[in-house]
Amino acid sequence: MGLGLFQGVNKMEAARNRVHALVRTLKASCMLLDHESEKEELFSMHDVVRHVAISIASTKRNVFTATNEQVDGCREWSDGSTIKHFTSIVLHGIKPNLLPEVLECPQLELLFIRGGGRDDPWETSPVTIPDNFFKSMIEVRVVNLTDMILPSSLGLLSNLRTLSLCSCGLPDISFVGYLKKLEILCLRGSDIVKLPVEVGELTWLKLLDLRDCCFLKVIPPNILSKLSHLEELYIGRESFVDWEEEVEGVKNASLEELKHLPNLTSLEVHVRDVSSLPRGLLLEKLERYSIYIRRYFSRKTGIWCRQFRVELNNKICLKDSLIVQLQRIEDLELSELQEQDVDYFRNELVKVGSSHLKRLRLEGSDLALNPAESKRQEESANDLRSHEIILEDNVQISNTLFADKVALPNLENLELYSINVGRIWQNQVTAMSCGIKNLTHLILHGCMNLRCIFSSSTVSSFVRLQSIEIVRCPVLEELIVVDNQEEMTNNIVTFPQLQYLKMSGLEKFTSFCTGDLDILEFPSLKGLWISACPEFMARYKRTTNILTERVFPNLEKLEVDAKHVVTNKYLFSEGLLCKLKYLSVELGDERTILSLGDFLQRLHTMKVLQIGGHGAWLPEEKVENGMRVEISEAYNCYDLENILIEESSVTNNLVFLRVMGCDRLVNLVPSSTSFQNLANLVVSCCEGLKIVLLRRLENRINTLNCKDSGAT
């Protein structure tokens, strides 16, 4: 936008659509690649393509781009006659001594400088730009600076259209009042405390970005309302929240001012109280918005959809807070919900008919459940269990989240936390009307009364489901409830795209489905997490014909409680785990004796073994050849004196070994153990350790790091 590359495009929305179209075209031509995060606004570029692009730009467009190391001693940068012809300059990781007092570039249109080229990586002081640095670049249209301290001479750039000052030191930015042609102003992450009144003079401003300005306390009134051409306003969750409050004798602006912005299409704001958000603010003209009320929501998403997130309390009910049009919201998050709030939300969904919701997160109030209430819910759950042994589709359950008339055809992510429901979908008709065919992620945490997630009549509709996470649902007994067991005898239930399944803290969970029918298949499942599911593990310890290689043919990652690893020979058979590459074992509170040699010998494809106590975090770093073993926070392993009790051939494949926080460990390995390929060894915080390595292994180690250990 600042360079005017798109002829005839004057609106931010049209420019963004044009950019996305160009990126899609370049991806289709293999010039750009999808980003690993799969976010639409990010992409990757192959090194070869990047080098060719830089070569073309430097020769045909007079573009100079370099890092700090490349600039130092570069002829083009030091030659004053050459630098005058540059139209674009892009510098990364620049140190202050490489910036001249005056940059003589009369033809310059774009200037991009990112600081950070310091000798000390812990030094956080930004680079200071010389006072007269901008004096001789009168034609520049775009300035993008990161991690800089700026001089007031920026105000001389009267032709400037785009000014982006990210994470910059801004002691005084009143100079922006001189930049009359400015259309885009980004101060993201800067240390600005007060928005200067001069910003109100930027009548052609189309975008104002104040996200991540954690020091911003004052936005004077009657500034935002003057920006009549403003199309996009971003004041995010870590920035200004003190709307209409008096700070240092100045009363802050009101959100009512935004009603005077006729061209506003994108908005991101964070408010302390729902009363600060005026009625009628979010009109049909807003294409995108992110509204946060009361709470800091840690989940970060782009501003490419309509998001509404509110935290309630005992003084605010959902009826008073849901002032936006529910039908148009794409990302909705409601927290601290009471039971009446859930009922109100359910009724509102029925009223709006079809909804645009793509992500829905509902979070109940744990504080609202006093001991008496918790006991009442448990009794209610037991009563429900006693009256409904098999949940037929024609059984009417009042404690259901989605009713028959709710339509969520676009729903992709559903997250329920501490929501008191017995079922999510009442029957197949309800499930189909809710649009579950597009559901990809399902998360259920702390739903105390939940007894049914899938029934045999609805499960076949979840064709796109990629991940399921079920935690602390104490009365849930099965993943799938079979409506008619006779009809399911010869049928196979398949989750064709499910890649990740987590089950944790399910006290009564016994099986994947009703009875002993081998009707389940997870052909795409790569990650399985089973923790604190005692009934389930006990059942499969006794059973030999339930879990076969056909159930998990492509399982690569397994996380499980330590006490079940060796004892459960059926669940961890060699045939079932024939493709396992990553195993994470969680140590409980019991006194565990670790003896994994025999078990590891059966897993010939495994690359990473991690053993950790409660709360241990270990990176999932794979190795190309051989195996990586990491043991961390094993404080409760009182009898763990050696990480391997007996000699095992698995040690021949070990190339990386890390042991942390094992205070009872005396010897790293038995004296008979040989590491033929061990190259890296890290030992830390093992106070009882006496012997780290046998002398015959010393010449094989490339990296040895022992810290805070008792060994000498």
Side-chain angles (χ1 to χ4, degrees):
M1 289 292 285
L3 294 175
L5 295 180
F6 300 139
Q7 296 296 325
V9 176
N10 298 315
K11 296 291 186 181
M12 297 295 298
E13 177 70 15
R16 181 177 289 107
N17 292 336
R18 182 73 179 275
V19 169
H20 282 292
L22 288 173
V23 170
R24 287 193 295 269
T25 300
L26 291 171
K27 285 183 177 180
S29 304
C30 298
M31 302 297 289
L32 295 179
L33 308 171
D34 290 329
H35 194 265
E36 60 181 4
S37 67
E38 300 182 356
K39 292 184 178 179
E40 183 182 3
E41 64 268 27
L42 301 178
F43 58 83
S44 297
M45 180 184 294
H46 195 281
D47 289 346
V48 174
V49 176
R50 177 178 178 273
H51 292 321
V52 172
I54 291 176
S55 176
I56 295 173
S58 61
T59 56
K60 296 184 178 181
R61 298 284 298 176
N62 292 324
V63 175
F64 179 78
T65 177
T67 63
N68 183 79
E69 291 75 15
Q70 293 169 336
V71 169
D72 194 6
C74 179
R75 180 182 59 82
E76 289 85 352
W77 182 251
S78 58
D79 188 347
S81 60
T82 302
I83 203 172
K84 288 182 179 181
H85 299 289
F86 289 143
T87 59
S88 299
I89 295 178
V90 179
L91 306 176
H92 291 275
I94 295 302
K95 295 181 180 180
N97 61 330
L98 293 179
L99 298 179
E101 185 65 29
V102 179
L103 187 61
E104 296 282 353
C105 290
Q107 300 182 38
L108 192 66
E109 295 181 351
L110 181 147
L111 176 65
F112 179 104
I113 305 179
R114 181 184 297 275
R118 311 179 189 92
D119 294 328
D120 184 358
W122 298 103
E123 175 60 50
T124 58
S125 299
V127 176
T128 300
I129 295 181
D131 291 339
N132 296 319
F133 183 76
F134 301 102
K135 188 175 181 179
S136 297
M137 52 178 77
I138 56 177
E139 294 298 325
V140 68
R141 296 170 62 98
V142 176
V143 172
N144 189 317
L145 306 175
T146 300
D147 203 10
M148 301 279 175
I149 295 179
L150 306 172
S152 59
S153 59
L154 259 173
L156 300 175
L157 307 180
S158 58
N159 199 42
L160 203 61
R161 263 67 168 183
T162 296
L163 178 59
S164 179
L165 307 175
C166 295
S167 302
C168 287
L170 306 175
D172 181 14
I173 61 167
S174 58
F175 62 81
V176 298
Y178 297 105
L179 309 178
K180 302 299 183 182
K181 297 181 181 179
L182 201 62
E183 296 179 351
I184 297 175
L185 177 59
C186 175
L187 305 177
R188 188 165 188 172
S190 67
D191 62 0
I192 181 175
V193 177
K194 178 181 178 181
L195 191 69
V197 295
E198 287 80 3
V199 172
E201 301 176 19
L202 305 178
T203 55
W204 290 102
L205 202 63
K206 296 180 179 180
L207 183 150
L208 177 60
D209 191 345
L210 300 174
R211 284 175 288 190
D212 302 326
C213 296
C214 56
F215 299 103
L216 182 60
K217 299 299 180 183
V218 179
I219 297 182
N222 304 319
I223 292 181
L224 299 178
S225 58
K226 293 180 180 179
L227 307 177
S228 57
H229 287 86
L230 196 66
E231 299 174 22
E232 303 187 3
L233 174 62
Y234 305 126
I235 309 176
R237 291 157 287 181
E238 295 184 20
S239 297
F240 182 80
V241 296
D242 300 322
W243 298 97
E244 297 186 77
E245 295 184 16
E246 187 171 320
V247 179
E248 298 179 359
V250 178
K251 186 176 182 180
N252 277 319
S254 168
L255 285 170
E256 290 281 351
E257 293 188 36
L258 303 186
K259 292 184 177 181
H260 301 286
L261 305 179
N263 296 299
L264 191 66
T265 60
S266 299
L267 174 66
E268 180 176 349
V269 292
H270 188 183
V271 299
R272 293 185 187 276
D273 197 313
V274 67
S275 61
S276 301
L277 200 62
R279 301 279 173 171
L281 172 63
L282 300 177
L283 305 177
E284 291 293 331
K285 64 180 181 180
L286 286 178
E287 296 295 332
R288 294 171 304 278
Y289 55 78
S290 289
I291 309 296
Y292 309 95
I293 300 179
R294 286 181 55 82
R295 176 181 176 182
Y296 170 71
F297 295 87
S298 59
R299 176 185 170 92
K300 293 186 177 182
T301 55
I303 185 71
W304 316 117
C305 66
R306 294 181 287 272
Q307 304 172 7
F308 185 81
R309 303 180 182 181
V310 57
E311 179 188 22
L312 307 175
N313 58 25
N314 54 7
K315 296 181 180 179
I316 302 177
C317 65
L318 185 60
K319 187 175 182 180
D320 298 325
S321 303
L322 199 60
I323 64 176
V324 296
Q325 295 186 15
L326 185 59
Q327 185 176 8
R328 300 188 70 238
I329 298 178
E330 295 177 339
D331 186 336
L332 178 62
E333 185 168 331
L334 306 173
S335 64
E336 297 298 318
L337 291 168
Q338 307 293 326
E339 284 197 32
Q340 63 269 23
D341 295 322
V342 178
D343 294 336
Y344 174 79
F345 175 71
R346 182 190 296 114
N347 294 333
E348 287 297 303
L349 282 179
V350 174
K351 290 180 183 178
V352 301
S354 181
S355 170
H356 289 86
L357 273 175
K358 294 182 179 180
R359 175 181 177 267
L360 174 62
R361 173 182 171 128
L362 302 179
E363 184 175 344
S365 175
D366 291 330
L367 297 178
L369 294 179
N370 53 43
E373 178 66 14
S374 299
K375 184 177 181 180
R376 185 192 67 79
Q377 287 201 11
E378 184 178 356
E379 293 175 351
S380 174
N382 292 333
D383 183 66
L384 180 65
R385 179 173 179 267
S386 63
H387 284 82
E388 294 174 340
I389 303 302
I390 297 179
L391 299 177
E392 303 287 355
D393 272 354
N394 60 359
V395 175
Q396 299 297 316
I397 299 180
S398 59
N399 195 15
T400 304
L401 181 61
F402 296 128
D404 290 342
K405 298 180 180 180
V406 173
L408 303 171
N410 301 313
L411 190 63
E412 298 175 358
N413 292 2
L414 177 61
E415 304 176 23
L416 304 180
Y417 294 80
S418 303
I419 298 298
N420 182 24
V421 293
R423 301 188 78 164
I424 304 174
W425 301 276
Q426 181 170 314
N427 50 41
Q428 187 175 17
V429 175
T430 304
M432 296 304 295
S433 66
C434 286
I436 58 175
K437 286 188 175 182
N438 291 314
L439 193 67
T440 58
H441 297 83
L442 177 63
I443 298 178
L444 306 169
H445 277 235
C447 298
M448 307 301 291
N449 282 349
L450 187 66
R451 290 202 60 249
C452 179
I453 301 177
F454 309 107
S455 66
S456 56
S457 61
T458 64
V459 68
S460 61
S461 300
F462 292 84
V463 292
R464 297 185 181 179
L465 198 58
Q466 297 177 12
S467 69
I468 301 175
E469 186 172 315
I470 313 167
V471 178
R472 292 192 303 108
C473 297
V475 299
L476 184 69
E477 297 182 4
E478 298 160 335
L479 187 66
I480 302 172
V481 174
V482 177
D483 299 322
N484 191 321
Q485 195 158 344
E486 294 181 359
E487 294 180 359
M488 294 302 298
T489 303
N490 297 319
N491 294 331
I492 300 297
V493 177
T494 303
F495 289 89
Q497 296 190 32
L498 190 67
Q499 299 181 21
Y500 176 74
L501 173 61
K502 176 179 180 178
M503 301 182 299
S504 178
L506 309 181
E507 300 173 6
K508 296 185 179 181
F509 189 78
T510 58
S511 62
F512 287 121
C513 58
T514 303
D516 293 331
L517 299 177
D518 187 10
I519 63 173
L520 273 177
E521 288 185 0
F522 300 90
S524 302
L525 195 72
K526 294 184 178 181
L528 176 62
W529 183 341
I530 306 176
S531 174
C533 300
E535 295 295 328
F536 177 82
M537 301 305 294
R539 178 175 183 267
Y540 283 97
K541 184 177 179 180
R542 300 187 302 266
T543 308
T544 61
N545 62 344
I546 298 298
L547 295 183
T548 64
E549 183 178 348
R550 192 196 71 193
V551 181
F552 303 118
N554 294 298
L555 190 65
E556 296 182 355
K557 178 179 179 180
L558 175 65
E559 299 185 43
V560 68
D561 296 335
K563 62 182 178 181
H564 301 300
V565 171
V566 179
T567 59
N568 199 327
K569 62 181 179 179
Y570 298 120
L571 184 59
F572 305 105
S573 64
E574 184 174 354
L576 178 62
L577 305 179
C578 59
K579 296 184 179 181
L580 195 68
K581 295 180 180 179
Y582 175 94
L583 174 63
S584 178
V585 179
E586 182 177 349
L587 299 167
D589 295 330
E590 69 282 349
R591 295 191 175 191
T592 306
I593 300 177
L594 206 61
S595 179
L596 300 179
D598 178 65
F599 174 69
L600 295 178
Q601 289 183 29
R602 292 177 281 154
L603 303 178
H604 306 294
T605 60
M606 192 168 64
K607 293 291 185 181
V608 179
L609 168 64
Q610 293 187 348
I611 302 172
H614 290 311
W617 179 86
L618 294 170
E620 299 179 17
E621 301 179 16
K622 295 183 179 180
V623 292
E624 294 297 329
N625 298 307
M627 188 174 66
R628 179 188 186 102
V629 173
E630 303 200 21
I631 303 176
S632 177
E633 310 299 328
Y635 295 113
N636 292 320
C637 296
Y638 294 99
D639 299 308
L640 179 61
E641 296 185 356
N642 298 292
I643 60 173
L644 292 172
I645 300 300
E646 68 281 336
E647 170 71 10
S648 171
S649 61
V650 71
T651 59
N652 295 334
N653 296 323
L654 193 62
V655 297
F656 186 103
L657 175 61
R658 187 202 306 263
V659 182
M660 301 179 293
C662 299
D663 291 343
R664 298 277 176 168
L665 195 63
V666 177
N667 299 323
L668 195 62
V669 293
S671 58
S672 59
T673 305
S674 62
F675 292 101
Q676 296 183 2
N677 297 294
L678 186 65
N680 301 277
L681 175 63
V682 178
V683 181
S684 63
C685 300
C686 297
E687 296 181 358
L689 191 63
K690 295 181 178 179
I691 301 176
V692 177
L693 275 176
L694 299 178
R695 186 173 298 278
R696 58 191 174 89
L697 300 178
E698 290 178 353
N699 295 331
R700 301 174 188 170
I701 301 296
N702 295 330
T703 301
L704 174 62
N705 186 348
C706 296
K707 181 181 180 181
D708 296 332
S709 298
T712 58

